[in-house]
Amino acid sequence: MNTNKILDILSYGYSVICYPLFAPTILSVVYCFLSKRLESMEENPFIEIPQLYWLLLIGGTLLFTCLIPLVILLIMKYNGNIKDLDVSDPKERTIPYIFTIFSLSLWSTFLQMMQVPSFLYYSSTAITIALIIVTIITHWWKISVHLASFGGSIAMLAGILWYFGIPARNILIVMFVLAWLLMLARIRLNAHTPLQTVCGFLLGLTIVFIPNIFDLQSILNK
């Protein structure tokens, strides 16, 4: 097996691992894990949450942000409405993206009902808005959803770390490196141009990060 073939396999595998529908569930697991570890710290503003609550939070996030959209994609692929689960053809993206936007809206409502800290609710709403923008842009230009999701995930992770008072610099540096590797992977697979990956990343990062700046700053000033 030559080097190019290995790089192609690695690029494809990394793209699968970073599939956009997986990100919110992973972040919810991180949030619940940190709340469990830090709940005994006096300076931690987080109110102790029962284990059942964590399971509901993670399970609800998995349902609305991954399982429902993924089932819709599988049905559409089975019926021949889309060619692949990445929806690589921009002409096929509108309908599955609309379903995903609706499911993400349900997720935001779910988080509000679960009374999560407001920055998490704002993040979920911002992710929905980012996908709406991507859906509009993709009619004319194939902006990267993988990188938009990754950028939004970095912004949401930064909010989680900030909320729990955890030094974020080194973690975020690693995340930016991983985002750069994802850019290289998507470009190598001929899924996007370099500009499409960069714009997708900056869009997701900015849309999710901006509202969290004001929300978290208000928490810290109390």
Side-chain angles (χ1 to χ4, degrees):
M1 188 178 294
N2 58 37
T3 303
N4 287 332
K5 186 66 174 178
I6 293 174
L7 289 175
D8 288 342
I9 293 173
L10 290 175
S11 297
Y12 179 77
Y14 189 43
S15 292
V16 171
I17 292 172
C18 296
Y19 193 57
L21 296 182
F22 299 155
T25 302
I26 294 172
L27 287 167
S28 70
V29 171
V30 171
Y31 173 77
C32 291
F33 174 76
L34 290 178
S35 67
K36 173 63 177 176
R37 288 199 60 185
L38 302 180
E39 66 185 11
S40 61
M41 295 173 58
E42 291 183 1
E43 66 271 20
N44 175 31
F46 190 81
I47 300 174
E48 184 175 351
I49 293 178
Q51 251 181 347
L52 177 59
Y53 183 98
W54 301 336
L55 292 175
L56 287 173
L57 184 61
I58 295 171
T61 300
L62 177 64
L63 175 65
F64 291 118
T65 67
C66 184
L67 295 183
I68 291 178
L70 190 57
V71 167
I72 292 171
L73 288 174
L74 288 170
I75 292 173
M76 293 187 70
K77 186 176 185 302
Y78 178 79
N79 291 332
N81 302 119
I82 59 175
K83 297 175 183 176
D84 52 65
L85 296 181
D86 276 343
V87 198
S88 54
D89 186 347
K91 296 178 181 178
E92 300 174 347
R93 287 184 167 184
T94 302
I95 294 177
Y97 280 18
I98 288 174
F99 277 115
T100 304
I101 289 167
F102 177 71
S103 190
L104 288 177
S105 300
L106 293 178
W107 176 47
S108 295
T109 303
F110 167 76
L111 292 183
Q112 193 172 32
M113 291 174 60
M114 295 293 288
Q115 298 183 347
V116 298
S118 55
F119 82 93
L120 285 180
Y121 168 71
Y122 291 145
S123 291
S124 67
T125 303
I127 289 171
T128 307
I129 293 172
L131 183 56
I132 292 173
I133 295 173
V134 166
T135 303
I136 295 172
I137 292 174
T138 200
H139 280 285
W140 297 277
W141 196 53
K142 192 183 175 185
I143 191 169
S144 175
V145 182
H146 271 76
L147 269 303
S149 171
F150 207 101
S153 297
I154 289 179
M156 193 171 179
L157 177 62
I160 292 172
L161 296 175
W162 191 0
Y163 181 75
F164 286 112
I166 298 174
R169 185 183 65 178
N170 292 338
I171 296 174
L172 293 180
I173 288 174
V174 171
M175 292 298 294
F176 275 98
V177 171
L178 292 176
W180 173 69
L181 291 175
L182 183 58
M183 290 180 186
L184 295 180
R186 301 304 289 166
I187 294 167
R188 179 165 190 85
L189 294 172
N190 293 318
H192 297 285
T193 65
L195 186 58
Q196 288 168 345
T197 61
V198 171
C199 288
F201 177 76
L202 292 177
L203 186 149
L205 182 70
T206 303
I207 294 296
V208 180
F209 189 67
I210 286 179
N212 284 334
I213 293 177
F214 300 102
D215 188 56
L216 287 167
Q217 190 63 47
S218 66
I219 292 174
L220 294 175
N221 290 336
K222 287 182 180 179

